[in-house]
Amino acid sequence: ALLSPSEPNMQIIEILHKLSHDGDVHTATNAILAMGVVSAGSGNARVASMLRGLSSYYHKDKDANVLFVVRIAQGLTALGKGNLTINPLQSDNQLLCPSALVGVLGLLHSALDIDKTILDSYHYMLYSIVPAISPRTLLTINPQGEVVKAQARVGIPVDTVAVPGKPRAVTGFQTQATPLVLSALDRAEIIGKHQALTPVIEG
């Protein structure tokens, strides 16, 4: 979960889903929380349906703590209705936000002994994730700080290193007007009369 927060890689999700049915309750609980961290803010429909299935599976269980962790994972998946992320990596994975990393690490570290921390009297440790929460919306402003509408190409990033000429930074793009929400793997480039102050615009 620490390797891909807010980036729902389906291979990781499938492994965690298998572990969530483990006989060891501690392993299952941590796998469910990890599913929430990996899919945080994505609103991924497949992960949401997996978590609904886990909710009905553990609803009959005597241990209500596992059901509580399923609810936490569901809340993380729907974080900000898809407008927020907890990914500490920025600028095409070249920069790391220390406060966001500490937020994710704080939650995952308290989950190492989840029965005595989050599921006991230290449930406020969940708030350690707050410094990692940031918006994934693209908003354009003018030099006076007023919001202006601009056109942006949103698509999948392309590696343009050592490519001659002036190639496009995104492929398979759609042209949309700002403000807009970028998914975890999307990149954008501003077109028209407006000019971006950063070379990387990402979700």
Side-chain angles (χ1 to χ4, degrees):
L2 184 59
L3 293 177
S4 61
S6 288
E7 291 184 21
N9 184 335
M10 288 320 294
Q11 290 177 335
I12 296 172
I13 293 292
E14 290 295 336
I15 292 169
L16 291 173
H17 188 249
K18 286 177 187 172
L19 289 172
S20 65
H21 292 88
D22 197 86
D24 181 25
V25 178
H26 190 71
T27 303
T29 307
N30 281 336
I32 293 167
L33 184 63
M35 283 175 70
V37 170
V38 169
S39 64
S42 68
N44 190 299
R46 191 161 174 200
V47 177
S49 68
M50 285 178 181
L51 290 171
R52 277 193 299 273
L54 286 169
S55 176
S56 60
Y57 178 77
Y58 285 110
H59 188 69
K60 303 161 191 161
D61 201 311
K62 293 178 182 176
D63 191 4
N65 287 336
V66 182
L67 185 61
F68 176 63
V69 174
V70 172
R71 299 289 186 227
I72 292 170
Q74 286 176 321
L76 283 171
T77 302
L79 187 70
K81 295 184 178 178
N83 294 327
L84 300 173
T85 181
I86 61 169
N87 195 346
L89 295 172
Q90 300 168 350
S91 294
D92 204 19
N93 296 341
Q94 295 177 3
L95 296 176
L96 181 70
C97 179
S99 60
L101 180 63
V102 167
V104 176
L105 277 174
L107 176 66
L108 294 178
H109 184 73
S110 62
L112 289 175
D113 195 7
I114 198 166
D115 294 326
K116 295 179 182 172
T117 54
I118 295 172
L119 299 179
D120 196 23
S121 56
Y122 301 104
H123 49 81
Y124 50 82
M125 290 296 292
L126 285 171
Y127 288 119
S128 63
I129 196 77
V130 172
I133 298 174
S134 61
R136 64 167 86 217
T137 53
L138 172 59
L139 188 69
T140 49
I141 57 172
N142 62 13
Q144 289 74 36
E146 300 164 343
V147 177
V148 294
K149 284 201 176 287
Q151 296 294 315
R153 290 190 186 112
V154 180
I156 300 167
V158 178
D159 188 11
T160 57
V161 176
V163 177
K166 198 174 177 185
R168 287 192 176 137
V170 294
T171 184
F173 59 83
Q174 294 179 342
T175 304
Q176 299 175 4
T178 61
L180 55 93
V181 178
L182 300 171
S183 72
L185 302 176
D186 279 349
R187 298 289 183 274
E189 58 181 12
I190 303 294
I191 55 175
K193 63 178 183 177
H194 299 286
Q195 188 175 10
L197 295 177
T198 176
V200 179
I201 305 172
E202 61 187 356

